[in-house]
Amino acid sequence: MDALVSLCKRRGFIFPSSDIYGGLNGFFDYGPLGVEMKNNIKAAWWRDFVHRRDDMVGLDSSIIHHPTTWKASGHVDNFTDPLVDCKVSKQRFRADQLFFAAVIVEAESAAPSGNEKQTIGYVSALESDRTDAELQEKAEQLKRKKAIRGKLLPVEARDMTQAKPEEIPLIPSPATGEPGSLTPPRSFNMMFQTYIGALRDDSAVAYLRPETAQGIFINFKNVVDTGRVKVPFGIAQVGKAFRNEINPRNFTFRSREFEQMEIEYFIAPDADWQKCHRDWIDAGLAWLESVGLPRADLSEYAHPKEKLSHYSKGTVDIMFKFPFGVQELWGFAARGDFDLTQHQKFSGKSLEYFDEVAKQRYLPHVVEPSVGVDRIFLAALCAAYTEDEAPDDKGKLEKRTVLRLSPRLAPVKVAVLPLVKNKPELVAVAEQLHAKLKRKYVVFYDQSGAIGRRYRRQDEIGTPWCVTIDFDTLANGTFTLRERDSMKQERLDEKALFALLDEKLY
Ligand code: GAP
C-alpha cells in the first residue's frame, strides 16, 4: 500500500485533500491522471449497465433532497455506527471494529472441582486481518508482566458492542494501552447535516446524501410516467455521497466523501427475486473481471440474516483481496418494496405501478447493486501494481514499476514518442499523429529523454501502448507499437492503430 499511495501522489492520481493545509482526514483529491481514470470507470460502468442494456435508464438527482426523504428511508433513525470514545486520548473508535478479549489463565489445582480459571485482565486491538493473533500476543505479554503461573487459554475475541457494562472499565484503550478510559458504545449518525437558506434552526436542516439510492426511489414515479419503461427495469445513478465515517481508513477505501454507482432494479412482487439477485451478482463479477480485477481476488460474502440492514431481505457483497485484507467492494441488496412503501407513506402520493400485461397495480420490489467508484479505483490500482524488470537502453535489466491497468481504465491510452527530438521530419510526423489521435483518445506526447526512460514513465502510469515514430516511418508509414505488459513490439500503420484502439477501448 505504501508504494501505491506514494505512486498515486508522485504521478498525480490521488492527493490528500487540502494538502497545503495539512490534509483533511477522509477526503481526497483526484489529480490529472486520477480524474481521467475515475471518469473511465464511470463511463465503462455506464456504457455496460445503461447503454448496452435495453432494460436500464439513467438519472442524475440533486445531492440535497427534501429532508423527509431521510426520515422515510430510515437514515435519520438508523444510519448510525456504534461509537466508543477514549476519554484520555480523545480518539474515537467504531465499536464493531474495536476487539477485546478476557485473558484467562488456568492454574493446576489438586481440588476435586478441577483446575482453577482466573481472569487476569483484558487486552484490545483494532480490527485487522490478524486481530486474533494480536490479541493472543498481548495476552501472553500481560501474563508475563503480571508473572502469573499457569496455562494461558486461547483468547476469544469479541467486539465492543458485545462488552458487558462491568467489562468496559477493564478493557484497555487501543490508544493508550491502559484500561479505564473507554466509554460504552453509543449511536452516532453518519449523515452530514447542513442548512437550507438563511435560517439556522431545525426547520432548515438538510443532509448531504449518504447514498445516491434514495434519489432514484423519490424519482421512481417521474421516470415511470415519462421514460416508457416497463417492469422489470432499472434506474442507474452515479454521484457523490457523504458519510461522516468515524474511522476513515485504508487510503480511499473508507472516505467521508466518495462516489457511488447505484442501480435500483424494479421487479414485480411475485417475481423470482433470488434469481434476479444472483443474475446481478454474476453481472457484477463479470464486469469487474472485464475491467481487470482477477477472479481469484474476488469472493462473495452473504450477510447473515441477523446482521442485515433494516431494509434488506438478503445482501451479498462482492469482496476484493486488498493488500490490507479481504474487504467489501460491491453490495447487492434485495430491498423488497421497503423504500417505495416508505416514500409513499411519508409523501402521501401513490407510487404504485400499473402492470399492463398482468393488469395489476403494485409497488415493485427492488434488487440494488451498489458500488463505490473510489473502491473500484483502489481495487484496480492494487490489482494492477506490479514491479518487474525490463532492459534499459543498453540492454541491462533494471527494476520497472508497471500499472497493468485494463486499457479501458488506463488514464492515458497511447503515448506518441518521436525516436529523437532533433530530427524535424520525425517530430512533424509524430505531431500529426498526436493531433489525429487526441481527437478521440487521451494521448500523451513525449519527446524528452532516452526511449527506454520514456517507456518506463508510461509503464508507471499504466499507458497500454507506446507508438514510436522512427526512420522507417518516413520510409513506409509504419510505427513501432510497444505493448506495456509483454513489452512486445510490432510495426503497424495508422489504420491498424485506430482499429486496435477502437477494439480494445469500447
Ligand atoms: N444504497 C446502499 C448503500 O449505500 P452501502 O453498502 O452502504 O450500501 C454501497 O454502500 C457501496 O458504496 C459499498 O459497497 C462501497 O463500494 C461504497 N462505499 C460505502 N461507504 C463508503 C465509504 N465510506 N468510502 C468509500 N466507498 C464507500
Side-chain angles (χ1 to χ4, degrees), residues 64-84:
I64 295 181
H65 305 330
H66 192 290
T68 308
T69 308
W70 306 110
K71 204 67 208 136
S73 68
H75 283 79
V76 170
D77 296 328
N78 296 317
F79 196 58
T80 55
D81 265 345
L83 171 97
V84 169

Side-chain angles (χ1 to χ4, degrees), residues 211 213 243 245 252-255 258 260 262 311 328-331 335 368 370-372 375:
E211 61 172 20
R243 295 183 188 179
E245 296 281 356
T252 56
F253 178 81
R254 193 178 299 290
S255 335
F258 54 98
Q260 286 187 314
E262 297 203 290
Y311 51 73
E328 174 185 344
L329 182 60
W330 194 336
R335 297 175 80 118
E368 175 196 69
S370 166
V371 66
R375 279 207 191 162

Side-chain angles (χ1 to χ4, degrees), residues 19 23-24 39-40 52 55 106 110 123 147 150 235 301 307 325 335 340 362 402-403 409 427 451 478 498:
D19 210 5
L24 188 62
N39 285 342
N40 291 341
R52 286 187 172 152
D55 55 351
E106 194 177 49
V123 285
I235 305 179
Y301 170 73
K307 287 206 169 169
R335 297 175 80 118
L340 290 182
Y362 54 72
V402 51
L403 285 186
L409 301 195
V427 170
I451 195 77
T478 63
F498 272 90

Side-chain angles (χ1 to χ4, degrees), residues 150-185:
K151 188 174 142 221
L152 178 70
L153 297 188
V155 295
E156 281 178 27
R158 283 176 284 155
D159 72 44
M160 284 294 284
T161 60
Q162 297 161 299
K164 298 188 190 118
E166 63 275 19
E167 287 180 307
I168 289 172
L170 307 174
I171 299 169
S173 158
T176 63
E178 296 299 325
S181 64
L182 294 180
T183 62

Side-chain angles (χ1 to χ4, degrees), residues 1-11 14 250-251 322-324 378 381-382 385 387 399 401 460:
M1 275 311 286
D2 288 347
L4 192 70
V5 173
S6 139
L7 175 81
C8 281
K9 179 148 193 215
R10 188 160 34 86
R11 298 307 310 266
I14 301 176
N250 291 329
F251 198 27
F322 288 95
F324 43 84
L378 186 59
L381 280 185
C382 293
Y385 186 92
E387 289 172 2
K399 195 185 113 184
T401 301
E460 207 184 36

Side-chain angles (χ1 to χ4, degrees), residues 89-278:
S89 69
K90 307 287 177 226
Q91 284 196 39
R92 298 187 141 178
F93 308 99
R94 253 178 69 171
D96 56 348
Q97 290 171 356
L98 202 173
F99 285 81
F100 72 97
V103 181
I104 304 172
V105 173
E106 194 177 49
E108 267 182 41
S109 158
S113 55
N115 293 343
E116 240 174 59
K117 284 185 188 156
Q118 184 195 359
T119 299
I120 62 162
Y122 283 80
V123 285
S124 68
L126 290 176
E127 185 185 31
S128 75
D129 35 349
R130 56 182 306 278
T131 312
D132 288 342
E134 202 181 324
L135 288 173
Q136 190 67 37
E137 281 159 25
K138 287 184 174 170
E140 279 156 23
Q141 282 163 14
L142 186 72
K143 178 174 171 273
R144 272 199 302 277
K145 192 170 148 202
K146 294 200 167 182
I148 290 178
R149 291 157 70 100
K151 188 174 142 221
L152 178 70
L153 297 188
V155 295
E156 281 178 27
R158 283 176 284 155
D159 72 44
M160 284 294 284
T161 60
Q162 297 161 299
K164 298 188 190 118
E166 63 275 19
E167 287 180 307
I168 289 172
L170 307 174
I171 299 169
S173 158
T176 63
E178 296 299 325
S181 64
L182 294 180
T183 62
R186 63 190 165 90
S187 286
F188 169 77
N189 194 299
M190 289 198 292
M191 281 197 292
F192 277 100
Q193 204 171 293
T194 186
Y195 298 91
I196 298 176
L199 284 179
R200 299 232 138 203
D201 62 16
D202 283 353
S203 69
V205 164
Y207 304 97
L208 303 189
R209 67 181 174 201
E211 61 172 20
T212 61
Q214 296 306 321
I216 299 180
F217 292 119
I218 59 178
N219 276 290
F220 171 73
K221 199 161 165 41
N222 286 337
V223 174
V224 168
D225 289 349
T226 55
R228 301 176 60 185
V229 285
K230 289 194 171 36
V231 167
F233 77 96
I235 305 179
Q237 169 156 240
V238 177
K240 289 266 184 175
F242 304 82
R243 295 183 188 179
N244 201 355
E245 296 281 356
I246 297 166
N247 254 337
R249 59 186 182 148
N250 291 329
F251 198 27
T252 56
F253 178 81
R254 193 178 299 290
S255 335
R256 289 180 165 140
E257 175 177 339
F258 54 98
E259 265 181 289
Q260 286 187 314
M261 304 191 286
E262 297 203 290
I263 292 169
E264 301 303 335
Y265 196 77
F266 298 94
I267 54 176
D270 56 2
D272 183 350
W273 70 264
Q274 272 111 335
K275 177 174 183 313
C276 177
H277 194 217
R278 185 67 245 166

